[in-house]
């Protein structure tokens, strides 16, 4: 075979294992694929060849762009791709290094602080003034928005859940699942996602007016006025954030607040709810007390009981007078003629909702079942004296008007004569929200309860229950309609009943018209209380929902935001969405030393090496730590007791990139890295204890310190969220600043900064700093592994000779000097995306330990196929800019892998058949990384060895493996 055709692209065979896409059209150079015919069949099965061809359009590409034997489709630039691009007249491209971009259409609604929502596109120009809601597992909290991006049209997909939540997103946008953040491409129908059913109210800019001025306190002590002025609540404007906090406090006080001694204001609730009230008190500049606890006796209808009462107080006279000025009654509420604050009708709907939802949190009953599948109408009531009853009626009438403006219907205000108290004749007033399902959905999802987590959790369940119930009713309506149509067409009732998985009596009534109104859910449908027992709502008010459909939704302009909160997610359309390299350590242990202790070892490693999505690392970093790591790399690890000098001597670049510039790394990226120092992450990142099974070059293996049956440890991970954020930050800035260059490229995902531009220099400095971070990340994991081995084998790591063989980066662009056309030497940005450097002996960049033998290369395989140690081949400089493959390369997506494999079965098979012990955060992770998901690593390495770009030295096989 001299040519190979793949979906309109023809490759010409140059020699064995070398295939070339000739230069044509806008290509600046040819493209080459290094592969056997079998591997080429797999490489051509996705968009790898087209992406490789597109990469040659980048200005300054020299010789050719290359795809390694493990190549597969990436984002813009193929994984396993290498390109040497001139540093004078070329460019540097984040897409050719690797980056993370997650996008949503502009119409996606984002939850904001103060119970608001807005379309994503509306945040442009004001995102820095806003806060998005973040679900961090422990709470639902507002977080500053630090980033807003807009991108060209991209393919988007619509996700629909069992309760009817819908959202459109690009395939790489992460969604929160039980296993952590998972990209849409990796989700399937039947998977579980976390949703936030509360929607809030559309954002509207408040009309600006002065609520309180100094004149409203002219009779007060001047010192009290100064206190209010010092806290920026005097004068008080309708557009002040402090005013929004005060609206909530005031609403809650009218329900569960009271006055005490001089200056005292008391609030009563459960401890978790009081924390939220205390937080708002602090936001307006006042100091709350601690939370008090006391047991109190009560008598209701002759029944005595005790309960624990929780409360806190403020002792500021200024704060108390501020509440009074806003409308809080000064005397006992029952006899105080208070009604709605006079300014309330001048506010936006979302501001009024702050006031009323806080009142509902204190006074309204929680969602509960009336008759199994129907809910009671939520009600509020208050007792007033006969003389102040009209004020109370007006208070509730204003409430009715507000709810009505949102389309929420209420019952008529009820009046009940009550037993007179010791001082006054009294009247009981009551207002309820109509309990029609759609009406309750509007109430619970737009207004709901504030300052009451129990009621809020219950309302989340109510929303999901009502949505589920509505879907079931719609399903039964559809069946009824179809059954009627079939009957009208002459079908027999028995045949019609056989068509549907539903009660036969239901079909009969549908045919013969024996039903008034909409059908009810069937008997098997759970009642509300039963449903509540079946589902759990998180402390952040997220609830599980099942994906029922993922469908293409065309191409749309897409947007994204980035929040400062370390959870790096936000709530969009009710969904919680988000916003490497390898090293090997040697030991003098043999396989005999480990056999029989595999389970103990894998459990200890899993317990002591942080893994999975989110935060948590070996070292709890400070801001200064992150700066030092970005600047000095492995030198920081040595200074802080996480490394020994020999570790630096056996690391690429001795573990320090001198071109790093921490000042070019965004604060957001630094914040993401701060709590992830020394952590594996997730996906294909892993830690694996291995045994050496084969040695192919005895002399080189001896130089590397490897021998058959020896135990080694391989660590595969990168710079975690910090590196992703660096690439994301610069990609988006490059898209805007160098849009002219972007228009010349066939794929917008290849966005690049011209060499010599400020952005190119800034990105290079930031990327080098991220490389330093990645080296330290792997070093801290190695330090932890040493400690685990010491405990398990009861000897020091020095006794076990746990020494670093080598650490090499996988996703990187480096300034290197290479020979290009006609023997000319040029400085290039060598982009290696999912490829590894493979320098032969004599190359000056090699550490002295390997200058005479060549660079060690570590190529991980799958859990069931083993890995390889190579050394830089003599032909690598001329063929691949000193590069080779970095792994086996994926054959199928994570979604397909989860459909093909079951994590538990994979673990059992590996243990029973191959004696490999695997432990992971979830079965899904194991399924995604099953041996059958990857190309044949033996074939990948065979091609590398045959081409002389990476010479086989030794093969290893897993003993135990931990994954994130």
């Amino acid at each position: 075979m001299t040519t190979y055709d793949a979906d309109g692209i023809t490759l010409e065979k140059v020699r064995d294992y070398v295939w070339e896409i000739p230069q044509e059209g806008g290509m600046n150079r040819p493209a080459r694929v290094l592969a056997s015919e079998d591997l080429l069949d797999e490489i051509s099965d996705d968009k790898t060849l087209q992406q490789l061809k597109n990469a040659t359009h980048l200005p300054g590409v020299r010789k050719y762009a290359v795809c390694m034997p493990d190549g597969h489709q990436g984002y813009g630039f193929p994984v396993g791709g290498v390109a040497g691009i001139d540093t004078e007249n070329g460019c540097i491209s984040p897409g050719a290094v690797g980056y993370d971009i997650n996008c949503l259409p502009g119409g996606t609604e984002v939850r904001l602080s103060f119970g608001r929502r807005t379309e994503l596109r509306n945040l442009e120009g004001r995102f820095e003034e806003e806060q998005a809601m973040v679900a961090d597992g422990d709470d639902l909290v507002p977080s500053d928005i630090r980033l807003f991006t807009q991108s060209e049209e991209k393919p988007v997909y619509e996700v629909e859940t069992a309760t009817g939540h819908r959202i459109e997103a690009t395939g790489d946008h992460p969604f929160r699942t039980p296993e952590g953040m998972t990209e849409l491409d990796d989700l399937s129908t039947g998977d579980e996602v976390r949703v936030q059913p509360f929607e809030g109210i559309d954002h509207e800019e408040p009309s600006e007016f002065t609520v309180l001025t100094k004149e409203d306190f002219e009779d007060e002590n001047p010192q009290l006025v100064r206190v209010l002025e010092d806290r920026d609540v005097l004068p008080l404007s309708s557009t002040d954030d402090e005013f929004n906090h005060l609206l909530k406090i005031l609403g809650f006080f009218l329900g569960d607040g009271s006055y005490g001694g001089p200056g005292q204001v008391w609030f009563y609730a459960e401890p978790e709810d009081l924390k939220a009230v205390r937080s708002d008190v602090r936001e307006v500049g006042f100091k709350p007390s601690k939370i008090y606890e006391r047991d109190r006796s009560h008598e209701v209808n002759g029944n005595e009981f005790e309960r624990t009462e929780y409360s806190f107080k403020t002792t500021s006279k200024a704060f108390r007078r501020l509440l009074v000025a806003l409308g809080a009654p000064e005397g006992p509420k029952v006899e105080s003629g208070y009604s709605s604050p006079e300014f309330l009708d001048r506010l936006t709907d979302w501001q009024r909702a702050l006031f009323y939802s806080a009142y509902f949190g204190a006074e309204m009953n929680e969602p509960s079942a009336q008759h199994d599948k129907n809910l009671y109408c939520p009600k509020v009531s208050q007792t007033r004296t006969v003389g102040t009853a009209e004020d109370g009626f007006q208070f509730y009438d204003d409430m009715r008007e507000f709810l009505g403006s949102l389309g929420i219907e209420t019952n008529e205000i009820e009046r009940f004569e009550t037993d007179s108290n010791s001082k006054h004749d009294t009247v009981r007033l009551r207002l309820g929200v109509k309990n029609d399902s759609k009406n309750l959905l509007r109430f619970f999802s737009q207004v709901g309860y504030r300052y009451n987590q129990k009621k809020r959790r219950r309302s989340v369940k109510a929303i999901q229950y009502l949505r589920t119930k509505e879907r079931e009713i719609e399903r039964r309506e559809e069946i009824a309609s179809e059954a009627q149509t079939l009957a009208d067409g002459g079908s027999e009732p028995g045949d019609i009943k056989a068509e549907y998985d539903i009660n036969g009596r239901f079909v009969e009534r549908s045919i013969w018209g024996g039903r008034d109104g909409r059908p009810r859910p069937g008997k098997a449908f759970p009642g509300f209380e039963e449903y509540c027992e079946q589902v759990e709502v998180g402390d952040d008010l997220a609830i599980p929902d099942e994906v029922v459909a993922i469908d293409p939704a065309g191409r749309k302009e897409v947007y994204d935001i980035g929040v400062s909160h370390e959870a790096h997610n936000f709530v969009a359309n009710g969904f919680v969405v988000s916003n490497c390299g390898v090293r090997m350590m040697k030991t003098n242990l043999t396989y005999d030393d480990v056999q029989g202790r595999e389970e103990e070892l894998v459990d200890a490693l899993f317990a002591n090496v942080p893994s999975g999505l989110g935060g948590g690392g070996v070292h709890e970093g400070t801001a200064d730590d992150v700066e030092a790591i970005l600047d000095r790399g492995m030198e920081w690890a040595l200074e802080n007791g996480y490394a020994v000098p020999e570790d630096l001597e056996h690391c690429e670049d001795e573990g320090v990139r001198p071109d790093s510039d921490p000042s070019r790394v965004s604060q957001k990226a630094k914040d993401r890295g701060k709590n992830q120092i020394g952590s594996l992450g997730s996906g294909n990142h892993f830690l694996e204890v291995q045994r050496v099974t084969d040695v192919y070059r005895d002399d080189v293996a001896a130089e590397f310190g490897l021998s058959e049956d020896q135990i080694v440890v391989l660590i595969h991970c990168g710079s975690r969220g910090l590196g992703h954020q660096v690439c994301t930050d610069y990609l988006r800035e490059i898209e805007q600043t160098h849009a002219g260059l972007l228009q010349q490229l066939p794929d917008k995902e290849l966005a690049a900064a011209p060499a010599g531009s400020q952005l190119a220099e800034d990105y290079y400095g930031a990327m080098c700093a991220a490389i330093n971070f990645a080296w330290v990340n792997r070093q801290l994991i190695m330090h932890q592994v040493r400690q685990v081995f010491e405990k398990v084998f009861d000897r020091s790591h020095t006794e076990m000779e746990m020494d670093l063989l080598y650490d090499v980066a996988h996703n990187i662009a480096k300034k290197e000097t290479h020979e290009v056309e006609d023997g000319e030497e040029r400085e290039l940005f060598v982009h290696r995306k999912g490829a590894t450097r493979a320098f032969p002996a004599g190359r000056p960049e090699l550490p002295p330990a390997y200058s005479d033998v060549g660079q060690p290369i570590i190529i991980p395989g799958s859990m069931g196929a083993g890995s390889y140690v190579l050394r830089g081949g003599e032909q690598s400089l001329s063929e691949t800019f000193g590069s080779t493959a970095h792994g086996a390369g994926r054959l199928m997506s994570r979604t397909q892998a989860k459909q093909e494999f079951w994590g538990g079965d994979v673990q059992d098979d590996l243990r029973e058949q191959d004696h490999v012990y695997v432990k992971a955060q979830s079965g899904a992770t194991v399924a995604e990384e099953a041996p059958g998901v990857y190309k044949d690593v033996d074939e990948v390495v065979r091609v590398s060895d045959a081409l002389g770009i990476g010479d086989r030295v030794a093969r290893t096989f897993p003993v135990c493996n931990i994954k994130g």
Side-chain angles (χ1 to χ4, degrees), residues 291-305:
I291 296 176
Y292 300 101
E293 174 183 347
R294 66 170 175 168
D295 293 327
R296 299 197 65 179
S297 297
H298 297 269
E299 181 179 334
V300 177
N301 297 327
N303 297 317
E304 293 186 0
F305 63 94

Side-chain angles (χ1 to χ4, degrees), residues 160-166 193 195-197 199 441 460-472 474 531 535 543-548 574-575:
E160 182 182 2
T161 70
T163 60
H165 292 284
R166 286 182 171 87
V193 293
V195 296
Q196 281 274 354
E199 298 170 4
L441 269 174
V460 165
K461 293 181 180 181
I463 293 170
Q464 291 298 85
Y465 179 77
L466 292 169
R467 293 179 72 116
T468 304
K469 179 181 171 183
E470 179 63 23
R471 299 272 284 198
E472 174 63 10
E474 289 172 356
Y531 177 86
V535 296
I543 191 169
D545 206 346
E546 180 186 348
V547 176
V548 296
F575 292 78

Side-chain angles (χ1 to χ4, degrees), residues 570-603:
F570 57 97
V571 180
N573 275 23
F575 292 78
V576 182
V577 299
S578 175
N579 158 43
C580 72
V582 64
R583 69 167 46 194
M584 179 176 281
M585 177 172 56
K586 305 174 289 183
T587 77
N588 61 15
L589 301 176
T590 65
Y591 187 42
D592 285 343
D593 295 320
V594 176
Q595 278 188 298
R597 310 189 72 171
E598 296 96 337
E599 194 160 3
E600 176 188 4
L601 185 57
V602 77
D603 287 345

Side-chain angles (χ1 to χ4, degrees), residues 724-740:
H724 281 299
Q725 191 62 48
V726 166
C727 284
T728 302
D729 289 342
Y730 279 95
L731 173 76
R732 289 161 180 169
E733 192 170 349
I734 286 168
E735 284 176 342
Q736 296 174 6
T737 305
H738 298 291

Side-chain angles (χ1 to χ4, degrees), residues 315-371:
T315 56
S316 169
K317 293 180 180 178
F319 179 69
R320 178 163 167 169
R321 295 312 301 169
L322 179 62
L323 288 185
V324 171
L326 288 172
E330 292 195 72
K333 295 172 191 172
V334 68
E335 59 189 59
S336 298
Y338 77 91
S339 189
S340 307
E342 60 180 19
F343 52 75
L344 205 62
D345 61 356
R346 301 176 65 184
L347 304 181
T348 61
D349 285 342
W350 61 264
Q351 287 179 306
R352 291 201 285 173
L354 292 176
F355 172 78
Y356 284 120
S357 63
Y359 179 76
F360 295 151
E363 290 296 298
M364 183 176 278
N365 58 294
E366 67 180 31
S368 59
Q370 181 182 25
H371 299 298

